[in-house]
Amino acid sequence: MRAHHLTLTALAIVAGLSLTACQNGDDGTGQSAPSSPAGAASSGGSSSGASDQGGGTGGAGKGSTGSAGSTGSTGSTGSTGSTGKGSGSTTGSGGSAKAGRCHTDALQITAKDDTISGDPDGTVVVELKNHSGQACTISGYAGVDLKTNSGTVSAKRTGQQATQAVLKSGQSIDFPINYPLNTTGGSGVRITGLLVTPPNETKTVALAWPGAASLPVTDGSGEPVKVGPVGSAGQGG
């Protein structure tokens, strides 16, 4: 009986060893299996790098520097670089965006006599030139006052419809001032200066008066000094 028991025990040990060997063989197979997906992942990284090369030169340069794993990461950076380029185009398209109002400090304001011989009225043209370095919009009537030895004379609007203009840096726009000529033979009301306030602004610029020396003396029933909207005397560049 003892011999039979020992035989059974030996068989059990042999069977256990065989089972262990089989299990070890399965583990080995399991360890070698991931090598194929790892190779695929490496291939994927390289493919991502190639896509970045197509998308932009910056992405391609960075992808060629790193390893397969870092190439995939750099590819993502290359995509971000493309977004940055879009942001750059937004900055570039700033010129087409709505420009802000032309402020007094952004305008170089000058005045010149533009009276045509034979006209019943005198004409002074005021030029507003944008020197701000960026585009701005302007529309409406400027405030115009003539300084005289008898006080200030404010110009009346002509009533013409005003249109909006966009002035690029360096461009200018004009408006006219029409005033009655003194043909009475007397000294009249002597004009000593011109005050101009650009449309929708509160800051005023004082200029020398370039027109005739005086206005006719009037009791208020004569022709007033008139101002047209910006753009009604022509636009220059």
Side-chain angles (χ1 to χ4, degrees), residues 116-198:
I116 298 175
S117 179
D119 280 359
D121 295 330
T123 301
V124 165
V125 170
V126 177
E127 180 184 81
L128 309 173
K129 185 174 184 179
N130 176 15
H131 65 90
S132 66
Q134 58 188 3
C136 64
T137 61
I138 191 165
S139 177
Y141 285 79
V144 171
D145 296 299
L146 272 59
K147 295 172 64 178
T148 76
N149 60 342
S150 297
T152 300
V153 176
S154 296
K156 309 286 186 184
R157 295 181 178 184
T158 60
Q160 291 174 262
Q161 184 175 1
T163 57
Q164 186 179 75
V166 177
L167 298 182
K168 294 179 181 179
S169 185
Q171 284 188 322
S172 62
I173 194 166
D174 304 326
F175 69 85
I177 302 171
N178 298 113
Y179 61 97
L181 294 171
N182 180 18
T183 58
T184 64
S187 59
V189 178
R190 186 165 53 89
I191 304 172
T192 59
L194 172 64
L195 301 176
V196 175
T197 307

Side-chain angles (χ1 to χ4, degrees), residues 52-53 55-63 74 77-78:
D52 292 326
Q53 289 176 0
T57 306
K62 292 180 182 178
T74 306
T77 305

Side-chain angles (χ1 to χ4, degrees), residues 47-141:
S47 172
S48 173
S51 172
D52 292 326
Q53 289 176 0
T57 306
K62 292 180 182 178
S64 63
T65 303
S67 63
S70 64
T71 302
S73 173
T74 306
S76 172
T77 305
S79 174
T80 305
S82 175
T83 304
K85 184 177 181 180
S87 176
S89 67
T90 301
T91 303
S93 64
S96 62
K98 185 176 180 181
R101 188 175 77 246
C102 295
H103 297 290
T104 302
D105 289 338
L107 298 169
Q108 179 183 348
I109 305 175
T110 56
K112 66 179 180 180
D113 182 30
D114 199 34
T115 302
I116 298 175
S117 179
D119 280 359
D121 295 330
T123 301
V124 165
V125 170
V126 177
E127 180 184 81
L128 309 173
K129 185 174 184 179
N130 176 15
H131 65 90
S132 66
Q134 58 188 3
C136 64
T137 61
I138 191 165
S139 177
Y141 285 79

